[in-house]
Amino acid sequence: MKKTLGRIILIPYTFVLMNWAPVAGLYYFVRGRPMGIWNPAAVKRTLEERIV
């Protein structure tokens, strides 16, 4: 019984967890906050600073 209940709860939990990123993105878009976007040039510059 416990094992079956755990599997039943796992399905909606997985669905919500997998769809959380779009919800967070929509929230930031609606609020007008800047979103952190990956910038390869900034990453390269940061890595070069760490090496030196």
Side-chain angles (χ1 to χ4, degrees), residues 21-39:
V23 170
L26 180 63
Y27 172 77
Y28 281 106
F29 176 75
V30 169
R31 301 266 312 190
R33 291 183 172 178
M35 295 174 51
I37 300 174
W38 183 63
N39 183 355

Side-chain angles (χ1 to χ4, degrees), residues 39-49:
N39 183 355
V43 171
K44 183 178 179 184
R45 187 174 52 244
T46 304
L47 290 175
E48 289 172 353
E49 290 172 358

